[in-house]
Amino acid sequence: MRTIRVETSAATILLTEAPEPKVRDRQTGEIAKDTNTGEALMTIGVVYIEEGESSLIKVTVPESGVSEGLALGAPVSLPGLVARPWESVFNGQQRHGIAYRSAAVTPAAFPVAMGATA
């Protein structure tokens, strides 16, 4: 499926769930690995806010891309964020959604409010 680059320069992204290993198989507890590098993958939860609208999303990040100093509720940056539509059939039910992946998650600063004075 096609990968779609997500432009984040006008968005505020806040960390809502700390990084944790992405589980590939819930029955065995197997951790998901990057198919190209073999590196363990992590998931984070963020709220993505842009133009007055917000969405809660899960983002997959390679373990080496998780920066120190991340704090819940704090702004983060997601360099190289892409979205990939997916669909599958599970137990006879068709499911679909969008998977998000970023090269890293790093601490960021809150954007300066327009019209704000010092």
Side-chain angles (χ1 to χ4, degrees), residues 21-32:
K22 181 174 184 168
V23 178
R24 178 174 184 204
D25 185 330
R26 289 188 177 128
Q27 291 181 338
T28 65
E30 178 186 359
I31 302 301

Side-chain angles (χ1 to χ4, degrees), residues 32-104:
K33 306 265 187 206
D34 182 281
T35 55
N36 294 327
T37 66
E39 183 176 3
L41 298 173
M42 307 291 283
T43 59
I44 59 166
V46 299
V47 62
Y48 185 96
I49 306 165
E50 188 174 19
E51 296 182 2
E53 295 189 19
S54 64
S55 298
L56 289 170
I57 62 173
K58 294 267 192 184
V59 180
T60 300
V61 180
E63 189 172 33
S64 65
V66 176
S67 295
E68 296 289 324
L70 299 174
L72 291 179
V76 293
S77 175
L78 297 171
L81 182 63
V82 294
R84 178 178 290 138
W86 62 269
E87 62 181 47
S88 67
V89 177
F90 183 73
N91 287 338
Q93 301 254 337
Q94 181 133 9
R95 300 176 49 178
H96 62 277
I98 300 173
Y100 294 92
R101 179 131 180 201
S102 179

